[in-house]
Amino acid sequence: MTWAKNGLLLAVGGLAGMALAAILDVSDKEAEKERDDVDALESLIENIRSDAEWAMEECVTDEDRVRVYARVNDSVREYQVELGELGKEIIDDLKKRASKTPSKEDVEKFIAGRVQKFKFKMDNFD
């Protein structure tokens, strides 16, 4: 009896450990995805910053510096426009998906019809 009890406890402990590992793995993957999203944006910002710093080191006059400032500003605005367009595309896609889903009334009518058919079959089953 002791061996069976120990074996059962070992199996339960192993299953609990596997479940905990799966839960932690899912949360790690979610956290990693969030970090990847943030890292991509930070990478973009760092790229603009490093290019701007390099350009500033090459500047000799104030006019050169003003041109670098303007170029940094233009680059950021270009990314803003691109992100805005991508946002619109995402919203349009979501709206298309939402329009394909049935309304609450349609679902209720469908369910009522199915229930009615089931009741009819059950009544005729006798």
Side-chain angles (χ1 to χ4, degrees):
M1 185 81 148
T2 304
W3 285 95
K5 192 176 189 181
N6 288 342
L8 183 61
L9 289 173
L10 182 63
V12 169
L15 290 174
M18 288 180 8
L20 181 61
I23 291 170
L24 292 175
D25 187 44
V26 168
S27 64
D28 286 346
K29 288 179 182 177
E30 290 173 357
E32 184 178 323
K33 184 180 183 309
E34 289 176 9
R35 278 194 303 267
D36 287 346
D37 292 343
V38 172
D39 289 344
L41 183 58
E42 287 177 4
S43 175
L44 178 62
I45 292 168
E46 186 58 34
N47 187 22
I48 293 172
R49 179 174 284 129
S50 66
D51 287 349
E53 288 172 354
W54 173 81
M56 288 299 285
E57 289 174 3
E58 301 296 316
C59 291
V60 179
T61 64
D62 287 338
E63 292 82 20
D64 292 339
R65 290 182 192 90
V66 169
R67 280 193 290 272
V68 170
Y69 303 147
R71 184 61 194 138
V72 168
N73 194 25
D74 291 344
S75 294
V76 170
R77 287 179 195 249
E78 287 174 11
Y79 287 123
Q80 286 175 331
V81 169
E82 288 180 37
L83 286 172
E85 290 172 358
L86 289 173
K88 289 177 185 176
E89 288 177 17
I90 292 169
I91 290 170
D92 290 343
D93 185 46
L94 291 173
K95 285 180 179 179
K96 285 178 187 175
R97 289 183 185 183
S99 68
K100 292 179 182 177
T101 58
S103 68
K104 184 178 178 180
E105 294 80 22
D106 292 340
V107 172
E108 288 174 353
K109 288 178 185 176
F110 176 75
I111 291 173
R114 295 290 301 234
V115 168
Q116 201 61 13
K117 288 179 183 178
F118 178 74
K119 285 181 181 179
F120 180 74
K121 287 181 182 180
M122 293 305 292
D123 290 342
N124 290 332
F125 186 66
D126 294 335

